[in-house]
Amino acid sequence: MAHGDATNTVFTALVEPSSQPNKVGSVNRRIRRCVSAPIDFIPQEKDDSSVPRNLSIFSNLLHPSFRLGSLSLALYLGLGAICFYLVKDQIKGQKTNGVLDALYFCIVTMTTVGYGDLVPNSVPTKLLACAFVFTGMALVGFFLSKSADYLVEKQEALLVKCLHINKKVGGLELLKELETNRVKYKFFLNLGLLLLLIAVGMIFLTRVEKLSLVDAFYCVCSTITTLGYGDKSFSTKVGRIFAIFWILTSTICLGLFFLHLAELSTEHKQRSIVKWVLTRKMTHVDLEAADFDGDGVVSATEFILYKLKEMGKIQQEDIVPLLKEFEDLDVDQSGTISTSDITLAYMESN
């Protein structure tokens, strides 16, 4: 069977929806019956006004990404605190408590803030700090950011629910809204969290560390951007306890903010391309390029495939293997795949 025939057969349901007006129920039944169908996207017939249970933050604390990040962080901080505590006499600077200073130094090293209020003062401690800074950067990049990003994603549904609090929004509508504006919600959620962390840091520095408002803002900015000039830092015991949690959270949050900002910009550019493709008029050159089977005319299926290629959603390399797989499964060359075709294909492969 030719590629053109296979293409038309595969996409018949997409381009001819009116020819199957009574099959909505059967489609839903087939989705529910399919073992491989994702559970979150199975159509719900009852009580669709509630938020899906898996969108709660507390029900996802045991997710593998979160557990892996938490375990890695605990191991890193535990090992770091022990190592730097054992060499505390070889670290000079403003000291408060041995264990607290070791943990604080580990956090400052891990996030690359490096205030300079505590610094290695021997060859072994300098080499140890070098090892921990590279390990800490890798940990933040590969594990902690994933865990934080995962938790942010799980709160997108709650944000959408709040935005539509005066409307009856079902579970499927909620998922559709999230899918459409996922990057935008992630960006604004992260922006809100970042502003909150900046405000909390400034309040703490002015109240506990007794810095002026300008110095507090200066210290917050130099910390979350990991500049760490060192002239302003956390010098009290209470301040360093706060810094252990605040520095780690705020630096990761800032990194995710710029990541989501880049994603938002990319998505905006992609949507502009899609809009341009949909509004651009077809030319003779386009007609020739869209004629995949070379028969001189462009079918609805070929038109859709060509437009999807222009939008950057699929490539020619994506289409050809799928058509080849369809042809292999269509054993009787009827242009459709049935259970008998699947059985025959399985027997031939064995």
Side-chain angles (χ1 to χ4, degrees):
M1 182 173 58
H3 282 320
D5 296 334
T7 306
N8 289 327
T9 302
V10 171
F11 289 90
T12 298
L14 292 176
V15 298
E16 298 180 358
S18 60
S19 63
Q20 301 177 6
N22 299 320
K23 292 190 177 182
V24 176
S26 62
V27 170
N28 288 338
R29 285 194 296 273
R30 287 199 299 272
I31 293 175
R32 288 195 292 269
R33 195 169 63 237
C34 179
V35 177
S36 61
I39 296 177
D40 288 345
F41 292 93
I42 294 177
Q44 301 294 325
E45 296 179 353
K46 296 181 180 180
D47 193 25
D48 64 346
S49 61
S50 61
V51 179
R53 286 179 296 177
N54 66 335
L55 294 175
S56 171
I57 183 173
F58 301 105
S59 62
N60 288 282
L61 290 179
L62 297 180
H63 188 273
S65 296
F66 186 84
R67 283 185 297 177
L68 181 60
S70 301
L71 180 60
S72 302
L73 175 61
L75 290 175
Y76 176 89
L77 294 180
L79 182 61
I82 293 173
C83 292
F84 289 119
Y85 178 78
L86 294 176
V87 295
K88 61 180 180 179
D89 295 332
Q90 302 177 45
I91 297 177
K92 66 177 182 179
Q94 292 180 303
K95 297 182 180 181
T96 57
N97 175 272
V99 177
L100 179 60
D101 289 342
L103 190 57
Y104 169 76
F105 182 76
C106 191
I107 290 290
V108 171
T109 302
M110 172 189 185
T111 56
T112 70
V113 172
Y115 285 126
D117 49 355
L118 292 175
V119 294
N121 195 31
S122 66
V123 173
T125 52
K126 290 179 180 179
L127 294 176
L128 186 63
C130 291
F132 267 86
V133 70
F134 282 111
T135 308
M137 291 175 66
L139 182 61
V140 171
F142 293 106
F143 297 112
L144 294 182
S145 60
K146 287 185 179 181
S147 300
D149 197 24
Y150 178 80
L151 293 178
V152 168
E153 287 181 5
K154 288 305 173 183
Q155 299 318 295
E156 293 170 10
L158 299 180
L159 175 62
V160 176
K161 199 69 176 179
C162 292
L163 293 175
H164 299 84
I165 194 169
N166 296 323
K167 303 176 183 178
K168 185 178 180 180
V169 181
L172 293 179
E173 289 81 1
L174 195 63
L175 290 173
K176 184 178 179 181
E177 175 74 11
L178 282 174
E179 189 63 29
T180 303
N181 300 294
R182 179 175 298 276
V183 176
K184 182 173 69 174
Y185 289 138
K186 286 168 62 177
F187 171 78
F188 284 113
L189 275 171
N190 202 261
L191 175 61
L193 179 59
L194 180 62
L195 293 176
L196 176 63
L197 288 169
I198 291 175
V200 170
M202 290 180 62
I203 293 172
F204 186 89
L205 286 167
T206 53
R207 296 291 181 86
V208 178
E209 297 291 336
K210 306 303 181 182
L211 298 182
S212 67
L213 190 62
V214 174
D215 286 341
F217 181 68
Y218 166 77
C219 182
V220 165
C221 291
S222 64
T223 300
I224 64 175
T225 57
T226 70
L227 283 173
Y229 288 121
D231 51 342
K232 303 295 179 183
S233 62
F234 297 88
S235 57
T236 64
K237 183 181 295 186
V238 177
R240 289 187 175 177
I241 294 175
F242 171 80
I244 289 172
F245 301 97
W246 181 81
I247 292 176
L248 183 62
T249 306
S250 58
T251 51
I252 292 175
C253 187
L254 182 65
L256 290 175
F257 169 77
F258 286 115
L259 174 63
H260 296 153
L261 179 62
E263 289 180 346
L264 190 64
S265 176
T266 302
E267 184 183 74
H268 177 72
K269 183 181 295 184
Q270 179 64 30
R271 289 187 177 182
S272 299
I273 293 174
V274 170
K275 183 178 180 180
W276 175 78
V277 170
L278 293 176
T279 55
R280 190 174 67 88
K281 293 183 178 180
M282 197 80 167
T283 65
H284 293 288
V285 176
D286 296 323
L287 183 67
E288 182 178 352
D291 185 15
F292 293 110
D293 56 7
D295 61 356
V297 294
V298 176
S299 65
T301 302
E302 290 174 323
F303 178 80
I304 292 174
L305 290 175
Y306 178 69
K307 287 294 184 179
L308 289 174
K309 285 178 60 180
E310 275 196 315
M311 294 175 187
K313 295 183 179 296
I314 59 173
Q315 302 293 331
Q316 182 71 27
E317 295 77 12
D318 301 324
I319 301 173
V320 174
L322 296 177
L323 296 178
K324 180 63 170 60
E325 181 181 0
F326 182 87
E327 292 176 0
D328 294 339
L329 293 174
D330 185 18
V331 179
D332 59 4
Q333 301 295 306
S334 62
T336 59
I337 299 176
S338 62
T339 54
S340 60
D341 287 323
I342 299 295
T343 304
L344 291 172
Y346 177 78
M347 293 174 62
E348 288 181 359
S349 63
N350 292 331

mmCIF file with all atom_site columns, all heavy atoms in Angstrom, residues 86-104:
data_model
loop_
_atom_site.group_PDB
_atom_site.id
_atom_site.type_symbol
_atom_site.label_atom_id
_atom_site.label_alt_id
_atom_site.label_comp_id
_atom_site.label_asym_id
_atom_site.label_entity_id
_atom_site.label_seq_id
_atom_site.pdbx_PDB_ins_code
_atom_site.Cartn_x
_atom_site.Cartn_y
_atom_site.Cartn_z
_atom_site.occupancy
_atom_site.B_iso_or_equiv
_atom_site.pdbx_formal_charge
_atom_site.auth_seq_id
_atom_site.auth_comp_id
_atom_site.auth_asym_id
_atom_site.auth_atom_id
_atom_site.pdbx_PDB_model_num
ATOM 1   N N   . LEU A 1 86  ? 34.254 18.359 61.635 1.00 0.00 ? 86  LEU A N   1
ATOM 2   C CA  . LEU A 1 86  ? 35.511 17.720 62.025 1.00 0.00 ? 86  LEU A CA  1
ATOM 3   C C   . LEU A 1 86  ? 36.713 18.613 61.745 1.00 0.00 ? 86  LEU A C   1
ATOM 4   O O   . LEU A 1 86  ? 37.764 18.483 62.394 1.00 0.00 ? 86  LEU A O   1
ATOM 5   C CB  . LEU A 1 86  ? 35.669 16.385 61.297 1.00 0.00 ? 86  LEU A CB  1
ATOM 6   C CG  . LEU A 1 86  ? 34.649 15.292 61.676 1.00 0.00 ? 86  LEU A CG  1
ATOM 7   C CD1 . LEU A 1 86  ? 34.842 14.050 60.818 1.00 0.00 ? 86  LEU A CD1 1
ATOM 8   C CD2 . LEU A 1 86  ? 34.762 14.946 63.166 1.00 0.00 ? 86  LEU A CD2 1
ATOM 9   N N   . VAL A 1 87  ? 36.566 19.525 60.778 1.00 0.00 ? 87  VAL A N   1
ATOM 10  C CA  . VAL A 1 87  ? 37.685 20.425 60.442 1.00 0.00 ? 87  VAL A CA  1
ATOM 11  C C   . VAL A 1 87  ? 37.364 21.866 60.835 1.00 0.00 ? 87  VAL A C   1
ATOM 12  O O   . VAL A 1 87  ? 37.873 22.819 60.245 1.00 0.00 ? 87  VAL A O   1
ATOM 13  C CB  . VAL A 1 87  ? 38.018 20.342 58.926 1.00 0.00 ? 87  VAL A CB  1
ATOM 14  C CG1 . VAL A 1 87  ? 38.519 18.963 58.564 1.00 0.00 ? 87  VAL A CG1 1
ATOM 15  C CG2 . VAL A 1 87  ? 36.800 20.705 58.083 1.00 0.00 ? 87  VAL A CG2 1
ATOM 16  N N   . LYS A 1 88  ? 36.474 22.038 61.830 1.00 0.00 ? 88  LYS A N   1
ATOM 17  C CA  . LYS A 1 88  ? 36.030 23.380 62.210 1.00 0.00 ? 88  LYS A CA  1
ATOM 18  C C   . LYS A 1 88  ? 37.184 24.271 62.667 1.00 0.00 ? 88  LYS A C   1
ATOM 19  O O   . LYS A 1 88  ? 37.134 25.500 62.498 1.00 0.00 ? 88  LYS A O   1
ATOM 20  C CB  . LYS A 1 88  ? 34.973 23.282 63.309 1.00 0.00 ? 88  LYS A CB  1
ATOM 21  C CG  . LYS A 1 88  ? 35.479 22.619 64.586 1.00 0.00 ? 88  LYS A CG  1
ATOM 22  C CD  . LYS A 1 88  ? 34.374 22.550 65.635 1.00 0.00 ? 88  LYS A CD  1
ATOM 23  C CE  . LYS A 1 88  ? 34.898 21.869 66.910 1.00 0.00 ? 88  LYS A CE  1
ATOM 24  N NZ  . LYS A 1 88  ? 33.859 21.806 67.956 1.00 0.00 ? 88  LYS A NZ  1
ATOM 25  N N   . ASP A 1 89  ? 38.221 23.666 63.245 1.00 0.00 ? 89  ASP A N   1
ATOM 26  C CA  . ASP A 1 89  ? 39.359 24.465 63.700 1.00 0.00 ? 89  ASP A CA  1
ATOM 27  C C   . ASP A 1 89  ? 40.201 24.984 62.535 1.00 0.00 ? 89  ASP A C   1
ATOM 28  O O   . ASP A 1 89  ? 41.064 25.842 62.719 1.00 0.00 ? 89  ASP A O   1
ATOM 29  C CB  . ASP A 1 89  ? 40.239 23.631 64.640 1.00 0.00 ? 89  ASP A CB  1
ATOM 30  C CG  . ASP A 1 89  ? 39.530 23.264 65.939 1.00 0.00 ? 89  ASP A CG  1
ATOM 31  O OD1 . ASP A 1 89  ? 38.635 24.041 66.347 1.00 0.00 ? 89  ASP A OD1 1
ATOM 32  O OD2 . ASP A 1 89  ? 39.847 22.213 66.529 1.00 0.00 ? 89  ASP A OD2 1
ATOM 33  N N   . GLN A 1 90  ? 39.966 24.412 61.341 1.00 0.00 ? 90  GLN A N   1
ATOM 34  C CA  . GLN A 1 90  ? 40.697 24.846 60.146 1.00 0.00 ? 90  GLN A CA  1
ATOM 35  C C   . GLN A 1 90  ? 39.856 25.780 59.270 1.00 0.00 ? 90  GLN A C   1
ATOM 36  O O   . GLN A 1 90  ? 40.178 26.018 58.115 1.00 0.00 ? 90  GLN A O   1
ATOM 37  C CB  . GLN A 1 90  ? 41.138 23.622 59.335 1.00 0.00 ? 90  GLN A CB  1
ATOM 38  C CG  . GLN A 1 90  ? 42.018 22.656 60.126 1.00 0.00 ? 90  GLN A CG  1
ATOM 39  C CD  . GLN A 1 90  ? 42.372 21.423 59.335 1.00 0.00 ? 90  GLN A CD  1
ATOM 40  O OE1 . GLN A 1 90  ? 42.741 21.499 58.161 1.00 0.00 ? 90  GLN A OE1 1
ATOM 41  N NE2 . GLN A 1 90  ? 42.284 20.247 59.974 1.00 0.00 ? 90  GLN A NE2 1
ATOM 42  N N   . ILE A 1 91  ? 38.753 26.273 59.841 1.00 0.00 ? 91  ILE A N   1
ATOM 43  C CA  . ILE A 1 91  ? 37.897 27.252 59.165 1.00 0.00 ? 91  ILE A CA  1
ATOM 44  C C   . ILE A 1 91  ? 37.894 28.524 60.005 1.00 0.00 ? 91  ILE A C   1
ATOM 45  O O   . ILE A 1 91  ? 37.606 28.478 61.205 1.00 0.00 ? 91  ILE A O   1
ATOM 46  C CB  . ILE A 1 91  ? 36.462 26.718 59.000 1.00 0.00 ? 91  ILE A CB  1
ATOM 47  C CG1 . ILE A 1 91  ? 36.456 25.476 58.093 1.00 0.00 ? 91  ILE A CG1 1
ATOM 48  C CG2 . ILE A 1 91  ? 35.550 27.794 58.418 1.00 0.00 ? 91  ILE A CG2 1
ATOM 49  C CD1 . ILE A 1 91  ? 35.088 24.840 57.936 1.00 0.00 ? 91  ILE A CD1 1
ATOM 50  N N   . LYS A 1 92  ? 38.220 29.629 59.398 1.00 0.00 ? 92  LYS A N   1
ATOM 51  C CA  . LYS A 1 92  ? 38.289 30.890 60.138 1.00 0.00 ? 92  LYS A CA  1
ATOM 52  C C   . LYS A 1 92  ? 37.109 31.792 59.757 1.00 0.00 ? 92  LYS A C   1
ATOM 53  O O   . LYS A 1 92  ? 36.489 31.640 58.703 1.00 0.00 ? 92  LYS A O   1
ATOM 54  C CB  . LYS A 1 92  ? 39.601 31.615 59.840 1.00 0.00 ? 92  LYS A CB  1
ATOM 55  C CG  . LYS A 1 92  ? 39.749 32.087 58.398 1.00 0.00 ? 92  LYS A CG  1
ATOM 56  C CD  . LYS A 1 92  ? 41.045 32.858 58.208 1.00 0.00 ? 92  LYS A CD  1
ATOM 57  C CE  . LYS A 1 92  ? 41.164 33.372 56.767 1.00 0.00 ? 92  LYS A CE  1
ATOM 58  N NZ  . LYS A 1 92  ? 42.408 34.146 56.565 1.00 0.00 ? 92  LYS A NZ  1
ATOM 59  N N   . GLY A 1 93  ? 36.800 32.721 60.652 1.00 0.00 ? 93  GLY A N   1
ATOM 60  C CA  . GLY A 1 93  ? 35.722 33.670 60.399 1.00 0.00 ? 93  GLY A CA  1
ATOM 61  C C   . GLY A 1 93  ? 34.833 33.847 61.611 1.00 0.00 ? 93  GLY A C   1
ATOM 62  O O   . GLY A 1 93  ? 35.182 33.448 62.737 1.00 0.00 ? 93  GLY A O   1
ATOM 63  N N   . GLN A 1 94  ? 33.651 34.418 61.398 1.00 0.00 ? 94  GLN A N   1
ATOM 64  C CA  . GLN A 1 94  ? 32.685 34.657 62.466 1.00 0.00 ? 94  GLN A CA  1
ATOM 65  C C   . GLN A 1 94  ? 31.990 33.338 62.810 1.00 0.00 ? 94  GLN A C   1
ATOM 66  O O   . GLN A 1 94  ? 31.239 32.791 62.006 1.00 0.00 ? 94  GLN A O   1
ATOM 67  C CB  . GLN A 1 94  ? 31.644 35.684 62.023 1.00 0.00 ? 94  GLN A CB  1
ATOM 68  C CG  . GLN A 1 94  ? 32.202 37.089 61.848 1.00 0.00 ? 94  GLN A CG  1
ATOM 69  C CD  . GLN A 1 94  ? 31.119 38.062 61.402 1.00 0.00 ? 94  GLN A CD  1
ATOM 70  O OE1 . GLN A 1 94  ? 30.470 37.868 60.389 1.00 0.00 ? 94  GLN A OE1 1
ATOM 71  N NE2 . GLN A 1 94  ? 30.925 39.110 62.180 1.00 0.00 ? 94  GLN A NE2 1
ATOM 72  N N   . LYS A 1 95  ? 32.196 32.839 64.012 1.00 0.00 ? 95  LYS A N   1
ATOM 73  C CA  . LYS A 1 95  ? 31.646 31.550 64.415 1.00 0.00 ? 95  LYS A CA  1
ATOM 74  C C   . LYS A 1 95  ? 30.614 31.728 65.522 1.00 0.00 ? 95  LYS A C   1
ATOM 75  O O   . LYS A 1 95  ? 30.721 32.620 66.359 1.00 0.00 ? 95  LYS A O   1
ATOM 76  C CB  . LYS A 1 95  ? 32.764 30.612 64.877 1.00 0.00 ? 95  LYS A CB  1
ATOM 77  C CG  . LYS A 1 95  ? 33.770 30.269 63.784 1.00 0.00 ? 95  LYS A CG  1
ATOM 78  C CD  . LYS A 1 95  ? 34.828 29.296 64.279 1.00 0.00 ? 95  LYS A CD  1
ATOM 79  C CE  . LYS A 1 95  ? 35.825 28.964 63.172 1.00 0.00 ? 95  LYS A CE  1
ATOM 80  N NZ  . LYS A 1 95  ? 36.857 27.993 63.628 1.00 0.00 ? 95  LYS A NZ  1
ATOM 81  N N   . THR A 1 96  ? 29.617 30.835 65.516 1.00 0.00 ? 96  THR A N   1
ATOM 82  C CA  . THR A 1 96  ? 28.565 30.869 66.535 1.00 0.00 ? 96  THR A CA  1
ATOM 83  C C   . THR A 1 96  ? 28.488 29.532 67.278 1.00 0.00 ? 96  THR A C   1
ATOM 84  O O   . THR A 1 96  ? 28.660 29.457 68.473 1.00 0.00 ? 96  THR A O   1
ATOM 85  C CB  . THR A 1 96  ? 27.195 31.169 65.884 1.00 0.00 ? 96  THR A CB  1
ATOM 86  O OG1 . THR A 1 96  ? 26.914 30.182 64.879 1.00 0.00 ? 96  THR A OG1 1
ATOM 87  C CG2 . THR A 1 96  ? 27.193 32.545 65.257 1.00 0.00 ? 96  THR A CG2 1
ATOM 88  N N   . ASN A 1 97  ? 28.208 28.458 66.543 1.00 0.00 ? 97  ASN A N   1
ATOM 89  C CA  . ASN A 1 97  ? 28.098 27.123 67.109 1.00 0.00 ? 97  ASN A CA  1
ATOM 90  C C   . ASN A 1 97  ? 28.716 26.136 66.129 1.00 0.00 ? 97  ASN A C   1
ATOM 91  O O   . ASN A 1 97  ? 28.521 26.260 64.914 1.00 0.00 ? 97  ASN A O   1
ATOM 92  C CB  . ASN A 1 97  ? 26.633 26.782 67.369 1.00 0.00 ? 97  ASN A CB  1
ATOM 93  C CG  . ASN A 1 97  ? 26.418 25.362 67.846 1.00 0.00 ? 97  ASN A CG  1
ATOM 94  O OD1 . ASN A 1 97  ? 26.269 24.448 67.032 1.00 0.00 ? 97  ASN A OD1 1
ATOM 95  N ND2 . ASN A 1 97  ? 26.415 25.168 69.160 1.00 0.00 ? 97  ASN A ND2 1
ATOM 96  N N   . GLY A 1 98  ? 29.453 25.150 66.646 1.00 0.00 ? 98  GLY A N   1
ATOM 97  C CA  . GLY A 1 98  ? 30.207 24.248 65.774 1.00 0.00 ? 98  GLY A CA  1
ATOM 98  C C   . GLY A 1 98  ? 29.356 23.542 64.731 1.00 0.00 ? 98  GLY A C   1
ATOM 99  O O   . GLY A 1 98  ? 29.629 23.606 63.526 1.00 0.00 ? 98  GLY A O   1
ATOM 100 N N   . VAL A 1 99  ? 28.291 22.867 65.164 1.00 0.00 ? 99  VAL A N   1
ATOM 101 C CA  . VAL A 1 99  ? 27.423 22.119 64.244 1.00 0.00 ? 99  VAL A CA  1
ATOM 102 C C   . VAL A 1 99  ? 26.664 23.067 63.324 1.00 0.00 ? 99  VAL A C   1
ATOM 103 O O   . VAL A 1 99  ? 26.561 22.849 62.111 1.00 0.00 ? 99  VAL A O   1
ATOM 104 C CB  . VAL A 1 99  ? 26.437 21.239 65.036 1.00 0.00 ? 99  VAL A CB  1
ATOM 105 C CG1 . VAL A 1 99  ? 25.478 20.527 64.092 1.00 0.00 ? 99  VAL A CG1 1
ATOM 106 C CG2 . VAL A 1 99  ? 27.194 20.224 65.884 1.00 0.00 ? 99  VAL A CG2 1
ATOM 107 N N   . LEU A 1 100 ? 26.121 24.134 63.896 1.00 0.00 ? 100 LEU A N   1
ATOM 108 C CA  . LEU A 1 100 ? 25.373 25.112 63.109 1.00 0.00 ? 100 LEU A CA  1
ATOM 109 C C   . LEU A 1 100 ? 26.253 25.767 62.059 1.00 0.00 ? 100 LEU A C   1
ATOM 110 O O   . LEU A 1 100 ? 25.846 25.929 60.897 1.00 0.00 ? 100 LEU A O   1
ATOM 111 C CB  . LEU A 1 100 ? 24.774 26.170 64.040 1.00 0.00 ? 100 LEU A CB  1
ATOM 112 C CG  . LEU A 1 100 ? 23.980 27.292 63.370 1.00 0.00 ? 100 LEU A CG  1
ATOM 113 C CD1 . LEU A 1 100 ? 22.807 26.724 62.600 1.00 0.00 ? 100 LEU A CD1 1
ATOM 114 C CD2 . LEU A 1 100 ? 23.506 28.304 64.417 1.00 0.00 ? 100 LEU A CD2 1
ATOM 115 N N   . ASP A 1 101 ? 27.470 26.152 62.437 1.00 0.00 ? 101 ASP A N   1
ATOM 116 C CA  . ASP A 1 101 ? 28.398 26.766 61.486 1.00 0.00 ? 101 ASP A CA  1
ATOM 117 C C   . ASP A 1 101 ? 28.773 25.798 60.368 1.00 0.00 ? 101 ASP A C   1
ATOM 118 O O   . ASP A 1 101 ? 28.904 26.203 59.203 1.00 0.00 ? 101 ASP A O   1
ATOM 119 C CB  . ASP A 1 101 ? 29.668 27.232 62.205 1.00 0.00 ? 101 ASP A CB  1
ATOM 120 C CG  . ASP A 1 101 ? 29.416 28.441 63.094 1.00 0.00 ? 101 ASP A CG  1
ATOM 121 O OD1 . ASP A 1 101 ? 28.378 29.107 62.886 1.00 0.00 ? 101 ASP A OD1 1
ATOM 122 O OD2 . ASP A 1 101 ? 30.240 28.697 63.985 1.00 0.00 ? 101 ASP A OD2 1
ATOM 123 N N   . ALA A 1 102 ? 28.923 24.513 60.712 1.00 0.00 ? 102 ALA A N   1
ATOM 124 C CA  . ALA A 1 102 ? 29.268 23.515 59.693 1.00 0.00 ? 102 ALA A CA  1
ATOM 125 C C   . ALA A 1 102 ? 28.140 23.359 58.684 1.00 0.00 ? 102 ALA A C   1
ATOM 126 O O   . ALA A 1 102 ? 28.372 23.306 57.474 1.00 0.00 ? 102 ALA A O   1
ATOM 127 C CB  . ALA A 1 102 ? 29.572 22.175 60.360 1.00 0.00 ? 102 ALA A CB  1
ATOM 128 N N   . LEU A 1 103 ? 26.905 23.314 59.170 1.00 0.00 ? 103 LEU A N   1
ATOM 129 C CA  . LEU A 1 103 ? 25.751 23.182 58.279 1.00 0.00 ? 103 LEU A CA  1
ATOM 130 C C   . LEU A 1 103 ? 25.542 24.448 57.456 1.00 0.00 ? 103 LEU A C   1
ATOM 131 O O   . LEU A 1 103 ? 25.250 24.392 56.253 1.00 0.00 ? 103 LEU A O   1
ATOM 132 C CB  . LEU A 1 103 ? 24.501 22.876 59.111 1.00 0.00 ? 103 LEU A CB  1
ATOM 133 C CG  . LEU A 1 103 ? 23.243 22.463 58.354 1.00 0.00 ? 103 LEU A CG  1
ATOM 134 C CD1 . LEU A 1 103 ? 23.501 21.237 57.483 1.00 0.00 ? 103 LEU A CD1 1
ATOM 135 C CD2 . LEU A 1 103 ? 22.102 22.187 59.326 1.00 0.00 ? 103 LEU A CD2 1
ATOM 136 N N   . TYR A 1 104 ? 25.710 25.594 58.091 1.00 0.00 ? 104 TYR A N   1
ATOM 137 C CA  . TYR A 1 104 ? 25.593 26.886 57.405 1.00 0.00 ? 104 TYR A CA  1
ATOM 138 C C   . TYR A 1 104 ? 26.651 27.015 56.310 1.00 0.00 ? 104 TYR A C   1
ATOM 139 O O   . TYR A 1 104 ? 26.356 27.432 55.185 1.00 0.00 ? 104 TYR A O   1
ATOM 140 C CB  . TYR A 1 104 ? 25.741 27.999 58.436 1.00 0.00 ? 104 TYR A CB  1
ATOM 141 C CG  . TYR A 1 104 ? 25.903 29.387 57.868 1.00 0.00 ? 104 TYR A CG  1
ATOM 142 C CD1 . TYR A 1 104 ? 24.821 30.086 57.352 1.00 0.00 ? 104 TYR A CD1 1
ATOM 143 C CD2 . TYR A 1 104 ? 27.152 30.018 57.872 1.00 0.00 ? 104 TYR A CD2 1
ATOM 144 C CE1 . TYR A 1 104 ? 24.965 31.366 56.841 1.00 0.00 ? 104 TYR A CE1 1
ATOM 145 C CE2 . TYR A 1 104 ? 27.314 31.297 57.375 1.00 0.00 ? 104 TYR A CE2 1
ATOM 146 C CZ  . TYR A 1 104 ? 26.223 31.965 56.858 1.00 0.00 ? 104 TYR A CZ  1
ATOM 147 O OH  . TYR A 1 104 ? 26.382 33.230 56.358 1.00 0.00 ? 104 TYR A OH  1
#
